[in-house]
């Protein structure tokens, strides 16, 4: 039996990663910018992975 929270794990992880990317973008320059790019690219990477897997 699947736990009731299991389908929400990936969307929750993507939301947290996106939020961390947005906060990193506001905090500073240099390494913070790289963290912001990675955090905001995570949902796009998940979409691309899912789209590629479905074909």
């Amino acid at each position: 039996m699947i736990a009731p929270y299991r389908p929400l794990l990936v969307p929750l992880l993507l939301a947290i990663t996106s939020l961390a990317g947005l906060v990193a973008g506001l905090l500073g320059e240099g390494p913070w910018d790289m963290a912001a790019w990675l955090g905001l690219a995570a949902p796009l990477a998940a979409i691309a992975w899912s789209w590629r897997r479905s074909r």
Side-chain angles (χ1 to χ4, degrees):
M1 182 170 157
I2 296 176
Y5 59 84
R6 179 140 171 117
L8 299 176
L9 288 179
V10 172
L12 183 62
L13 180 63
L14 289 174
I16 291 170
T17 306
S18 296
L19 182 62
L22 289 171
V23 170
L26 292 173
L27 287 179
E29 297 291 323
W32 291 107
D33 287 336
M34 181 58 79
W37 274 96
L38 291 174
L40 294 175
L44 297 176
I47 290 168
W49 176 79
S50 175
W51 180 69
R52 184 88 166 140
R53 186 174 171 209
S54 69
R55 289 187 167 234

